[in-house]
């Protein structure tokens, strides 16, 4: 039998009589007297008539927009006296909203009777001894450490946003920064696509948990089997904070086992929106290795991060669209009419952009230059350019440098693979009708550290001259 605390009076608030009865049967023995009310108005009147040691507010199935203000006033009226919030994991937005009215403890539901009783005992003021000076100092140091950790993560994300102008890698870099938060085993971003539903945008893990596989691939996750139980999806689709502080509380045994196997004990989902009340763009999802209670400051920091990320993703998408439009305009004015390759001015712009990306993300960049010696051959230059384009990847850019000379800008390619690309182009042009007697010379260079475009092009030109001097249609490698 549970032991009651002497002279303890508690007040339980929920409109459903069955819900009040369930709490009565589970916890009545913990108090000398347990009162219950159906709503905030009745509870406020009861608090005005008598002293209540512990106020318990159950928000299961309540409508937050309609009930928030009245329940918030109940919390405010407590003047820091003990208050316990029972909150469903799927609508944890209640917690920071009510914390704004005053301090409270919370329990994520559904919960077992044992967990509920333990939480109630801890919330009772009789169970909490007045803290000594050493304990107060420890608590202050702990809170200071938490705030310092939050500040470090916020600054890390801000640096990612400031240093990254590539929308394609922005989300991945954000997830990488978030995984540095103490206890985080996995971070992920979900995003609504304009014409494709909800998708996993990026993820980073410390526990080898592949969310794409867990959630069912790249299909629209709004229609997925875990849409009603996984916090990241719930937060995106419902537009509210979701906190699952024990995998089994989701009511999905398979999900609980998968998370537990990967060392995940708590999952937080935060909706992404640029401003309160704005359309939800997706969700931020963090998985933790240990269960913990978040403070008001931590909830505020997570919300601030989500807002910052949402704004950054929106700006990244806008920049991506602008770049695409600019590329279309440049393509329309920067295309060589005879060959369909880019004109040299457009090629210079593309080269500068790719050098910047290669430096920023430490990825390789190769250049190929080749000349076609068509002496005595009736060469169809346009057909040669088409054949060359067919041998390139979608990321490569073909630029016309001279009458019979071309440049290829090939990002994410090492020197050895660039040589293979040159051989592929030689074969493609050599198989053209009327190409008998045609000779080609190639120069290949790879971007070296922090060199500028001018130095890279100079090394490439030297490699091409070397191939021309050797004769026989060789391939010259830049020194």
């Amino acid at each position: 039998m549970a032991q009651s605390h002497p002279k303890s009076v508690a007040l339980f608030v929920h409109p459903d009589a069955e819900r009040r009865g369930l709490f009565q049967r589970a916890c009545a023995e913990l108090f000398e007297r347990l009162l219950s009310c159906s709503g905030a108005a009745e509870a406020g009147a009861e608090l005005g008539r008598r002293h209540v040691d512990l106020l318990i507010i159950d928000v299961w199935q309540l409508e937050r927009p309609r009930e928030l203000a009245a329940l918030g006033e109940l919390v405010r009226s407590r003047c820091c006296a003990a208050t316990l919030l029972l909150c469903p994991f799927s609508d944890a937005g209640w917690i920071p909203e009510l914390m704004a009215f005053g301090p409270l403890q919370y329990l994520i539901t559904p919960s077992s009777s044992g967990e509920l009783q333990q939480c109630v005992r801890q919330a009772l003021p009789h169970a909490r001894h007045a803290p000594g000076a050493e304990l107060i100092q420890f608590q202050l140091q702990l809170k200071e450490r938490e705030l310092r950790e939050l500040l470090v993560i916020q600054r890390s994300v801000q640096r990612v946003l400031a240093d990254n102008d590539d929308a394609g890698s922005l989300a991945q870099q954000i997830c990488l920064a978030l995984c540095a938060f103490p206890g985080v085993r996995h971070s992920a971003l979900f995003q609504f696509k304009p014409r494709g539903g909800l998708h996993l945008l990026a993820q980073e893990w410390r526990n080898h948990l592949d969310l794409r596989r867990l959630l069912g691939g790249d299909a629209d996750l709004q229609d997925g089997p875990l849409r009603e139980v996984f916090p990241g999806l719930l937060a995106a689709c419902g537009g509210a904070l979701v906190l699952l502080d024990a995998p089994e509380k989701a009511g999905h045994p398979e999900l609980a086992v998968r998370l537990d196997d990967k060392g995940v004990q708590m999952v937080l989902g935060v909706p992404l929106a640029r401003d309160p009340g704005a359309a939800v763009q997706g969700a931020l999802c963090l998985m933790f290795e240990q269960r913990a209670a978040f403070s008001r400051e931590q909830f505020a920091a997570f919300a601030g991060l989500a807002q910052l990320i949402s704004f950054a993703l929106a700006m990244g998408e806008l920049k991506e669209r602008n770049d695409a439009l600019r590329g279309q305009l440049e393509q329309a004015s920067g295309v060589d009419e005879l060959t369909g390759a880019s004109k040299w001015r457009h090629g210079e712009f593309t080269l500068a952009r790719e050098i910047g990306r290669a430096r920023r993300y430490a990825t390789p960049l190769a250049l190929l230059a080749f000349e076609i010696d068509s002496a005595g051959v009736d060469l169809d230059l346009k057909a040669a350019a088409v054949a060359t384009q067919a041998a390139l990847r979608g990321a490569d850019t073909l630029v016309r440098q001279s009458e019979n000379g071309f440049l290829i800008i090939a990002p994410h390619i090492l020197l050895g693979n660039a040589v293979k690309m040159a051989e592929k182009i030689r074969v493609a042009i050599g198989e053209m009708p009327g190409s008998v007697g045609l000779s080609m010379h190639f120069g290949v260079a790879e971007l070296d550290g922090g060199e500028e475009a001018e130095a890279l092009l100079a090394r490439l030109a030297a490699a091409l001259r070397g191939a021309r001097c050797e004769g026989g249609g060789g391939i010259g490698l830049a020194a």
Side-chain angles (χ1 to χ4, degrees), residues 110-243:
S111 61
S112 65
S113 295
E115 183 185 15
L116 178 59
Q117 289 178 359
Q118 181 182 5
C119 187
V120 168
R121 287 193 187 96
Q122 292 174 347
L124 278 166
H126 304 90
R128 300 197 301 273
H129 301 288
E134 291 184 1
L135 179 58
I136 292 176
Q137 181 65 24
F138 173 76
Q139 291 173 338
L140 289 175
Q141 290 174 349
L142 182 62
K143 188 166 187 177
E144 181 181 352
R145 189 188 71 186
E146 289 176 351
L147 295 178
R148 189 164 55 246
E149 290 169 347
L150 287 168
L151 184 60
V152 168
I153 296 302
Q154 286 178 324
R155 287 175 175 171
S156 296
V157 173
Q158 287 171 344
R159 280 196 297 271
V160 168
L161 303 184
D163 298 340
N164 197 316
D165 61 357
D166 187 339
S169 65
L170 178 62
Q172 191 64 48
Q173 294 297 316
I174 290 173
C175 287
L176 182 62
L178 291 172
C179 262
F181 189 87
V184 171
R185 303 286 288 166
H186 189 289
S187 63
L189 291 174
F190 296 92
Q191 187 179 37
F192 287 106
K193 297 294 185 179
R195 285 176 280 180
L198 180 64
H199 294 270
L200 177 63
L201 182 62
Q203 63 175 326
E204 183 69 28
W205 60 65
R206 298 290 180 268
N207 57 356
H208 303 288
L209 173 59
D210 185 355
L211 260 188
R212 186 165 277 105
R213 179 176 297 179
L214 175 66
L215 299 178
D218 293 318
D220 183 358
L221 296 175
Q222 293 180 100
D223 302 324
L226 300 181
R227 181 246 186 268
E228 296 294 335
V229 292
F230 187 73
L233 305 184
L234 274 170
C237 297
L241 184 79
V242 177
L243 179 58

Side-chain angles (χ1 to χ4, degrees), residues 410-476:
H412 304 285
I413 286 287
L414 295 169
L415 191 65
N417 289 330
V419 172
K420 293 178 182 179
M421 181 183 288
E423 292 288 359
K424 187 177 180 181
I425 294 168
R426 185 201 304 280
V427 171
I429 296 178
E431 291 178 347
M432 292 170 46
S435 62
V436 177
L438 194 70
S439 65
M440 288 173 281
H441 308 288
F442 287 83
V444 180
E446 184 180 352
L447 180 66
D448 182 16
E451 71 179 332
E452 301 294 337
E454 184 178 353
L456 177 59
L457 288 171
R459 290 197 299 116
L460 181 67
L464 181 59
R465 285 195 300 271
R468 193 186 302 122
C469 292
E470 290 181 5
I475 299 175

Side-chain angles (χ1 to χ4, degrees), residues 91-108:
D91 193 14
W94 277 102
I95 302 173
E97 293 278 10
L98 286 177
M99 279 181 169
F101 291 89
L104 56 82
Q105 298 179 66
Y106 66 84
L107 172 64
I108 298 297

Side-chain angles (χ1 to χ4, degrees), residues 177-410:
L178 291 172
C179 262
F181 189 87
V184 171
R185 303 286 288 166
H186 189 289
S187 63
L189 291 174
F190 296 92
Q191 187 179 37
F192 287 106
K193 297 294 185 179
R195 285 176 280 180
L198 180 64
H199 294 270
L200 177 63
L201 182 62
Q203 63 175 326
E204 183 69 28
W205 60 65
R206 298 290 180 268
N207 57 356
H208 303 288
L209 173 59
D210 185 355
L211 260 188
R212 186 165 277 105
R213 179 176 297 179
L214 175 66
L215 299 178
D218 293 318
D220 183 358
L221 296 175
Q222 293 180 100
D223 302 324
L226 300 181
R227 181 246 186 268
E228 296 294 335
V229 292
F230 187 73
L233 305 184
L234 274 170
C237 297
L241 184 79
V242 177
L243 179 58
L244 182 66
D245 69 345
E248 62 272 14
K249 290 185 179 182
H252 194 288
E254 182 181 351
L255 174 63
V257 169
R258 296 286 296 276
L259 293 178
D260 190 65
D261 284 346
K262 297 298 183 179
V264 174
Q265 297 303 314
M266 186 168 68
V267 186
L268 174 69
V270 187
L272 297 179
R274 281 171 284 177
D275 298 294
V280 175
Q281 297 171 270
L284 159 66
C285 183
L286 297 175
M287 301 191 199
F288 298 83
E289 63 185 358
Q290 290 184 349
R291 183 178 179 180
F294 292 129
S295 65
R296 175 183 175 182
E297 291 80 9
Q298 287 174 310
F299 279 120
F302 290 132
L305 276 174
Q307 188 174 15
L308 183 63
I309 292 168
S310 178
F311 179 78
L313 291 179
M315 293 302 294
E317 286 186 344
L318 180 61
K319 182 181 183 302
E320 204 170 53
R321 288 196 295 269
N322 288 342
D323 287 346
L325 289 173
R326 183 171 62 180
Q328 291 172 7
L329 291 173
E330 290 173 348
Q331 188 71 13
S333 61
V335 173
D336 178 64
E337 295 179 0
L338 175 61
T339 64
S342 296
K343 292 180 180 178
W344 177 240
R345 178 170 294 183
H346 181 258
E348 286 182 311
F349 167 79
T350 303
L351 178 58
R353 182 189 64 198
E354 293 300 337
I355 288 177
R357 286 179 174 174
R359 286 180 186 160
R360 189 174 299 115
Y361 307 118
T363 56
L365 172 67
L367 295 189
L368 294 80
F370 69 95
E371 291 178 342
I372 304 174
D373 185 358
S374 58
V377 179
D378 185 14
L379 174 66
D380 185 343
L381 200 60
K382 181 176 181 180
V386 170
T388 301
Q389 288 279 22
L392 301 182
R393 306 166 305 154
D396 303 327
T397 302
L398 180 64
V399 182
R400 188 177 184 186
Q401 277 188 298
S402 61
E403 183 177 356
N404 288 357
F406 293 89
L407 170 73
I408 297 169
I409 304 170

